[in-house]
Amino acid sequence: EAGVTQSPTHLIKTRGQQATLRCSPISGHTSVYWYQQALGLGLQFLLWYDEGEERNRGNFPPRFSGRQFPNYSSELNVNALELEDSALYLCASSRVSNQPQHFGDGTRLSIL
Amino acid sequence: AQSVAQPEDQVNVAEGNPLTVKCTYSVSGNPYLFWYVQYPNRGLQFLLKYITGDNLVKGSYGFEAEFNKSQTSFHLKKPSALVSDSALYFCAVRVLTGTASKLTFGTGTRLQVTL
């Protein structure tokens, strides 16, 4: 069984640009979660999608958005990038919401 | 609001000795508790979970955790540490409220196992 896959592995952008991060969940998993792991800030919950709908959102500004496609894959979009957006962005998936989340290896976003 | 505390930034232990990584939680409602491990430049790997039932939960790689409701703790343990166990460990709690589900992580504890 293939795990959660994220692309790209690394992404370098400049301030003000827009970034798109992609995630493919484990086959059969309908829930997708996004987390930000910034240096010194730990893991912060960003977004939860299930069955194509946004179910929950963390304390992030609206320029962080995303969507889930009919095949359950997901995109995270970050607009108007700021230096403090530099972080490892982790995607996770689960079969149902009370089951363990399985994580991808992340996309490292660097803002210059 | 739910929260998780991992009071130790780093735990040092000699190979072959038992290890404990501490975690306490605060929730309103029944908690689902998890431990994850993160190796450098990798995502998080699931180790074990507590949903209900026996307070001692066994997980991957010889790890186990003990749920203590009165002390609101979920400490991770292993009887005999290996150098390869050196990594960053995260405790997490989830509470399902209606259709909302949020996994809250602790700040992580770096485990260093030395020969």
Side-chain angles (χ1 to χ4, degrees):
Chain A
E1 174 182 85
V4 176
T5 57
Q6 292 187 244
S7 63
T9 306
H10 294 91
L11 191 55
I12 299 174
K13 295 285 186 177
T14 57
R15 286 179 59 190
Q17 285 188 314
Q18 184 258 351
T20 298
L21 288 62
R22 297 180 175 83
C23 173
S24 292
I26 292 172
S27 178
H29 288 192
T30 61
S31 281
V32 171
Y33 311 80
W34 288 96
Y35 295 87
Q36 182 196 66
Q37 188 176 22
L39 204 60
L41 294 178
L43 275 157
Q44 304 293 322
F45 168 75
L46 265 166
L47 291 159
W48 169 35
Y49 291 95
D50 184 61
E51 298 286 357
E53 299 287 330
E54 182 180 303
R55 302 294 185 185
N56 203 356
R57 184 182 179 85
N59 295 325
F60 282 84
R63 57 191 186 83
F64 286 84
S65 65
R67 55 180 172 168
Q68 186 178 33
F69 299 97
N71 66 354
Y72 303 113
S73 66
S74 176
E75 274 184 2
L76 175 68
N77 295 293
V78 188
N79 294 320
L81 287 165
E82 301 178 3
L83 293 176
E84 54 265 33
D85 297 333
S86 293
L88 181 66
Y89 289 83
L90 293 168
C91 173
S93 72
S94 68
R95 192 176 298 277
V96 293
S97 59
N98 65 347
Q99 290 301 309
Q101 296 175 14
H102 297 270
F103 285 77
D105 285 338
T107 292
R108 185 162 297 282
L109 176 62
S110 299
I111 313 302
L112 304 178
Chain B
Q2 58 196 50
S3 65
V4 177
Q6 293 182 243
E8 303 154 316
D9 289 337
Q10 181 155 328
V11 169
N12 298 306
V13 64
E15 188 174 58
N17 284 358
L19 69 88
T20 298
V21 183
K22 295 179 180 178
C23 171
T24 59
Y25 64 91
S26 174
V27 299
S28 53
N30 292 321
Y32 295 167
L33 294 157
F34 304 86
W35 275 101
Y36 287 86
V37 60
Q38 186 178 33
Y39 295 97
N41 300 313
R42 300 297 302 275
L44 276 66
Q45 293 181 30
F46 168 73
L47 278 178
L48 51 81
K49 67 177 179 181
Y50 172 83
I51 304 294
T52 186
D54 289 340
N55 290 340
L56 186 64
V57 179
K58 293 191 183 296
S60 305
Y61 313 121
F63 284 94
E64 57 189 27
E66 187 169 10
F67 172 68
N68 188 317
K69 187 173 183 177
S70 62
Q71 296 185 4
T72 61
S73 67
F74 190 57
H75 300 331
L76 181 70
K77 300 182 179 185
K78 188 173 182 180
S80 179
L82 298 171
V83 171
S84 57
D85 293 330
S86 299
L88 188 58
Y89 289 80
F90 289 95
C91 180
V93 65
R94 173 191 279 161
V95 175
L96 285 176
T97 55
T99 57
S101 173
K102 179 180 174 181
L103 194 61
T104 300
F105 286 89
T107 51
T109 298
R110 187 165 300 282
L111 174 65
Q112 187 69 45
V113 182
T114 54
L115 290 171

